[in-house]
Amino acid sequence: MSTGPVDVATAERMAVRLKALADPTRLRLLSHIAAQGCDSVCACDLLEVVDISQPTISHHLKKLVDAGLLVREQRGKWAHYTVVREMFDELRGFLDLA
Amino acid sequence: MSTGPVDVATAERMAVRLKALADPTRLRLLSHIAAQGCDSVCACDLLEVVDISQPTISHHLKKLVDAGLLVREQRGKWAHYTVVREMFDELRGFLDLA
């Protein structure tokens, strides 16, 4: 965005990412996972972060995984999630209007 | 987000901003306005940026103004728009997972 008007393909790609982020619950889940740095977070530990049911948490996390913002790894019963930092780096660069 | 899990109020505030941004047409309009730096852009000049009708452009711009991402100033017949850089600075800081 800092280099001028964006093309249609870039705008559509970024809109998908922004839409996945545009939910308060997802932002809270994501910020908790991001706070662990490079370590993954077990879905079981996210139950105490937001006061919603496990299926609803899974639904929100799936949206973030589908948008490429999180990576999901199954370990036995529970899924573990890690932030894909490159996606956020690119998004921040896109939003750099300065 | 870089300083750990966010509180509910911050998550809700950022989600509103992200939702307003999460549309390819709005991103293209916004990137065009942002490319003018501190200068405002006349709505009449945005018709050639995106191939949609003036009422639809106005609808999209209103979403961005309502979210605080643009400032609207009426000058005679046409509205002029300027980017609110502080809003983007704050959003980029929020998305700083590095």
Side-chain angles (χ1 to χ4, degrees):
Chain A
M1 205 171 268
S2 57
T3 55
V6 296
D7 58 82
V8 175
T10 302
E12 289 178 350
R13 196 160 48 89
M14 292 298 162
V16 168
R17 216 171 294 181
L18 290 162
K19 193 173 177 184
L21 287 171
D23 178 277
T25 302
R26 289 203 281 280
L27 288 178
R28 289 175 64 211
L29 291 168
L30 190 63
S31 71
H32 185 86
I33 297 168
Q36 308 309 310
C38 296
D39 295 331
S40 66
V41 173
C42 178
C44 54
D45 292 329
L46 294 170
L47 283 165
E48 63 193 43
V49 176
V50 288
D51 190 23
I52 54 177
S53 69
Q54 177 61 40
T56 305
I57 290 179
S58 294
H59 162 79
H60 282 304
L61 293 172
K62 185 176 186 306
K63 294 263 187 189
L64 293 168
V65 170
D66 288 349
L69 296 162
L70 288 181
V71 165
R72 179 187 190 278
E73 184 193 359
Q74 190 73 30
R75 296 186 200 165
K77 182 185 170 189
W78 292 99
H80 288 64
Y81 297 87
T82 318
V83 165
V84 182
R85 285 171 197 283
E86 296 75 14
M87 296 290 272
F88 287 89
D89 291 344
E90 193 186 14
L91 190 57
R92 284 207 319 280
F94 177 74
L95 294 173
D96 184 8
L97 302 167
Chain B
M1 203 174 269
S2 58
T3 53
V6 296
D7 58 82
V8 176
T10 301
E12 287 178 350
R13 196 159 49 89
M14 292 298 163
V16 168
R17 216 171 294 183
L18 290 162
K19 193 173 177 184
L21 286 172
D23 178 278
T25 302
R26 289 203 281 278
L27 288 178
R28 290 175 63 213
L29 291 168
L30 190 62
S31 71
H32 185 85
I33 297 168
Q36 309 309 311
C38 296
D39 295 331
S40 67
V41 173
C42 177
C44 54
D45 293 329
L46 294 170
L47 283 165
E48 63 193 42
V49 176
V50 288
D51 189 23
I52 54 177
S53 70
Q54 177 62 41
T56 306
I57 290 178
S58 294
H59 162 79
H60 283 303
L61 292 172
K62 185 176 187 306
K63 294 263 184 188
L64 293 167
V65 170
D66 288 348
L69 296 162
L70 288 181
V71 165
R72 180 187 190 280
E73 184 194 358
Q74 190 74 29
R75 295 187 200 163
K77 181 184 173 189
W78 292 99
H80 288 65
Y81 297 89
T82 318
V83 165
V84 182
R85 285 171 197 284
E86 296 75 15
M87 296 291 272
F88 287 89
D89 291 345
E90 193 186 15
L91 190 57
R92 284 206 320 280
F94 177 74
L95 294 172
D96 185 8
L97 303 168

